[in-house]
Amino acid sequence: MNQIELEKIKKKALEEKIPIIMDDTLQVIDDLLRDKKPKKILEIGTAVGYSAICFSKYLARGGIIDTIEREETRVIEAKENIKKAEVEDKINILYGDAVELLPTLDGKYDVIFIDAAKGKYPFFLKEALRMLEKNGMIIADNVLYKGYVMSDYNKHKQRTAVRNLREFLQELKDNKNLEVEVLEVGDGLAIAKSK
Ligand code: SAH
Ligand code: MG
């Protein structure tokens, strides 16, 4: 992977206010992936490919990341970025709405990273559980959503997202097959490991 290109991709994404993964969140995920050396990763929410490029260096030999993005312009930019970073053989972009695409997938994944529309997290979780490999791990970003999720303030215009994030976290915690941690890094990171 080309580290210099990666820095340029990050800088441009930040300038354009694309919500790429935050540094402290990335650090936590780096540690998890370094231990795990996944063979297959599924990412929901590619944006311009930044996180997928970062994760690609932890793949096991021959491993692959499937990543889903619904905005065409972002898919185009992500493809260019992945090429610049020299990781085309490790990242496969699926263009479309994850709500429609996920049910068509039937592979198993060692790590599933949820980082897309917050209102859809309960649905993404259901699909992720269906495709999670034994001893797999689900990681979800933005689960505390600027603190709204843990506060009783619910008149915000984003209340549907907040309600769905709360439902998502509850379902994770109620799932007897998962060991769950919610960290206050970045915008809130949930880590669920299958037992
Ligand atoms: N993981 C990226 C950031 C993703 S930002 C990184 O850290 O570099 C969230 C992305 O999810 C946006 O680009 C948005 O277009 C996409 N998205 C949101 N809802 C989606 C859906 N239902 N299906 C596919 N993509 C979606
Ligand atoms: Mg995010």
Side-chain angles (χ1 to χ4, degrees):
M1 103 118 85
N2 187 325
Q3 192 69 37
I4 294 164
E5 285 299 330
L6 182 65
E7 284 305 317
K8 286 191 205 160
I9 292 162
K10 178 182 175 185
K11 187 163 176 278
K12 181 165 186 278
L14 290 173
E15 278 166 8
E16 292 175 1
K17 305 228 181 318
I18 292 163
I20 59 168
I21 194 162
M22 293 164 100
D23 288 339
D24 51 354
T25 309
L26 183 60
Q27 222 166 50
V28 173
I29 300 178
D30 276 351
D31 292 341
L32 293 167
L33 296 183
R34 194 177 296 117
D35 282 348
K36 185 137 193 80
K37 299 182 190 64
K39 184 108 186 141
K40 286 197 76 183
I41 299 178
L42 174 65
E43 176 181 68
I44 308 172
T46 316
V48 294
Y50 176 71
S51 53
I53 295 168
C54 292
F55 300 163
S56 69
K57 67 174 169 229
Y58 301 108
L59 285 170
R61 190 185 298 272
I64 191 100
I65 302 177
D66 286 331
T67 179
I68 305 175
E69 175 57 51
R70 67 177 170 192
E71 277 190 34
E72 191 181 16
T73 51
R74 290 197 171 167
V75 169
I76 292 166
E77 191 171 342
K79 282 191 177 152
E80 288 167 7
N81 287 340
I82 288 162
K83 196 160 177 225
K84 286 182 197 158
E86 297 161 17
V87 288
E88 300 119 289
D89 53 334
K90 296 179 176 181
I91 302 174
N92 174 34
I93 302 180
L94 306 171
Y95 170 38
D97 193 316
V99 174
E100 283 154 30
L101 276 178
L102 287 169
T104 71
L105 303 180
D106 58 5
K108 291 278 182 188
Y109 294 92
D110 305 300
V111 174
I112 300 178
F113 180 53
I114 302 175
D115 192 18
K118 299 171 190 74
K120 298 286 163 29
Y121 273 36
F123 176 78
F124 296 157
L125 176 60
K126 196 177 75 163
E127 288 297 302
L129 288 169
R130 181 178 64 79
M131 291 187 280
L132 194 63
E133 188 64 87
K134 246 192 300 179
N135 298 316
M137 180 161 54
I138 295 170
I139 306 173
D141 192 23
N142 309 96
V143 297
L144 299 178
Y145 196 14
K146 303 174 183 166
Y148 300 147
V149 172
M150 291 302 181
S151 74
D152 49 15
Y153 182 64
N154 62 4
K155 290 212 173 103
H156 191 269
K157 64 172 162 48
Q158 304 295 0
R159 64 183 173 276
T160 309
V162 170
R163 189 177 58 232
N164 285 309
L165 285 172
R166 284 181 185 147
E167 182 187 325
F168 169 81
L169 290 175
Q170 197 57 49
E171 276 173 18
L172 272 187
K173 287 171 186 165
D174 290 344
N175 190 313
K176 300 273 178 298
N177 302 316
L178 299 174
E179 201 178 284
V180 180
E181 254 186 308
V182 178
L183 306 181
E184 287 181 25
V185 288
D187 199 22
L189 189 71
I191 300 162
K193 296 177 181 167
S194 60
K195 317 196 234 208

